[in-house]
Amino acid sequence: MAAIVRALSRTFPDTEVNTDVLKTIAMFFAAGLTACLLVASYGLDLSAGFF
């Protein structure tokens, strides 16, 4: 997260970056990705024999 903040601060030097907002966005993105993966795997046989 710190690397993202540093990269954004170098790219936009006049803009103050709030890390809490970035963390919140990352958490929502992760939750959405997890939900998409669960919906995509619905109905698939994910037992040990599948792999």
Side-chain angles (χ1 to χ4, degrees), residues 13-37:
D14 296 335
T15 306
E16 182 179 329
V17 179
N18 190 352
T19 57
D20 291 334
V21 173
L22 291 176
K23 286 180 185 178
T24 303
I25 291 171
M27 292 294 282
F28 276 113
F29 178 77
L33 182 63
T34 303
C36 287
L37 290 174

Side-chain angles (χ1 to χ4, degrees), residues 2 4-7 10 23-26 36 39 42 45-46 48:
I4 294 172
V5 172
R6 281 194 297 258
R10 288 183 191 136
K23 286 180 185 178
T24 303
I25 291 171
C36 287
V39 169
Y42 181 74
D45 181 17
L46 297 177

